[in-house]
Amino acid sequence: EPEVTQTPSHQVTQMGQEVILRCVPISNHLYFYWYRQILGQKVEFLVSFYNNEISEKSEIFDDQFSVERPDGSNFTLKIRSTKLEDSAMYFCASSVKSPLYAETQYFGPGTRLLVL
Amino acid sequence: SQQGEEDPQALSIQEGENATMNCSYKTSINNLQWYRQNSGRGLVHLILIRSNEREKHSGRLRVTLDTSKKSSSLLITASRAADTASYFCAIVVSGGYNKLIFGAGTRLAVHP
């Protein structure tokens, strides 16, 4: 069964460094998302992406964050200058259509980011 | 916040018993989805219920939705130790929001 994959599974970085988290969504999906989950807290929406542009973003997704679909298969989240509070599990998800069409979002296994 | 709390926050039962988890929300929804998360791992989709549906079944799972009370429940029947996980509900708000809004989750422990 097709699944969303994410790399790396774990990333440790120093505060102020740039990180790029990578995701390969399911191949026929058109909508892509990033969520994060700080340890012990809720899963929070960061950004949705469709047709090569951001369709929605949360207030967490400030100028330090960016997303890109550099080719036909990868979807990346870049954090330009990491802060301690960026430490979290980051989940990529994808869906065929918008969730407004009652579409399931399929989640990847996550990347655990630790900022020291 | 558009999402309420899940209830209970933690639930501990014996194998074979049923587990019921509740989810409340505060706004009109397009649909509601339940996900499962094993400790520190990814989110696994369990079931989706549309706003015009009242009940759905999938194997040992039964989900109900009461839009008048803005609440949903997830029932796991004949629980197994392997059902031990955190369970989250997530809503899609009606009116053009292209995202899932998650609740805080219920931690379920099923003891052999």
Side-chain angles (χ1 to χ4, degrees):
Chain A
E1 185 173 325
E3 54 186 23
V4 177
T5 59
Q6 290 185 243
T7 54
S9 57
H10 293 79
Q11 173 106 38
V12 181
T13 190
Q14 296 292 322
M15 192 169 57
Q17 294 296 304
E18 174 183 287
V19 294
I20 297 176
L21 309 182
R22 291 183 167 81
C23 168
V24 179
I26 295 173
S27 63
N28 64 331
H29 286 191
L30 300 176
Y31 288 79
F32 314 116
Y33 315 84
W34 284 101
Y35 294 81
R36 78 172 186 190
Q37 185 181 32
I38 295 170
L39 189 63
Q41 296 188 23
K42 292 182 185 184
V43 176
E44 302 172 289
F45 169 79
L46 293 178
V47 66
S48 59
F49 191 86
Y50 169 70
N51 201 26
N52 279 322
E53 59 183 29
I54 290 173
S55 54
E56 191 172 356
K57 61 183 180 180
S58 71
E59 57 266 20
I60 302 168
F61 194 89
D62 60 22
D63 292 343
Q64 293 299 313
F65 291 88
S66 62
V67 289
E68 194 178 32
R69 187 151 163 83
D71 53 43
S73 59
N74 291 283
F75 180 50
T76 62
L77 174 70
K78 182 193 290 186
I79 309 175
R80 259 179 276 281
S81 177
T82 50
K83 307 181 189 106
L84 296 176
E85 56 265 34
D86 293 328
S87 294
M89 180 79 97
Y90 287 80
F91 293 107
C92 174
S94 69
S95 62
V96 176
K97 295 183 191 175
S98 162
L100 292 171
Y101 290 96
E103 276 287 321
T104 298
Q105 288 187 27
Y106 293 89
F107 282 74
T111 293
R112 186 169 295 285
L113 176 66
L114 178 60
V115 182
L116 302 176
Chain B
S1 167
Q2 293 163 325
Q3 183 70 332
E5 291 302 318
E6 273 141 310
D7 162 47
Q9 291 184 338
L11 182 60
S12 182
I13 59 174
Q14 297 296 124
E15 255 187 338
E17 293 181 340
N18 294 343
T20 299
M21 290 159 266
N22 304 296
C23 165
S24 64
Y25 55 91
K26 297 179 180 176
T27 187
S28 295
I29 62 169
N30 178 288
N31 64 82
L32 184 147
Q33 305 182 31
W34 284 89
Y35 286 82
R36 165 196 166 122
Q37 184 181 37
N38 284 35
S39 179
R41 310 281 282 276
L43 293 157
V44 175
H45 182 264
L46 296 176
I47 199 162
L48 180 155
I49 187 164
R50 293 173 173 78
S51 61
N52 62 353
E53 296 175 313
R54 293 295 165 257
E55 188 169 313
K56 280 190 88 167
H57 296 256
S58 176
R60 294 184 296 114
L61 305 180
R62 181 184 140 219
V63 168
T64 61
L65 179 65
D66 186 336
T67 52
S68 66
K69 293 182 180 175
K70 292 186 166 52
S71 68
S72 174
S73 67
L74 171 67
L75 168 68
I76 304 174
T77 59
S79 62
R80 305 166 183 165
D83 295 327
T84 295
S86 289
Y87 292 82
F88 296 91
C89 71
I91 61 172
V92 175
V93 176
S94 51
Y97 292 96
N98 192 27
K99 63 188 180 189
L100 293 171
I101 302 173
F102 282 83
T106 294
R107 290 188 314 280
L108 173 66
V110 182
H111 302 284

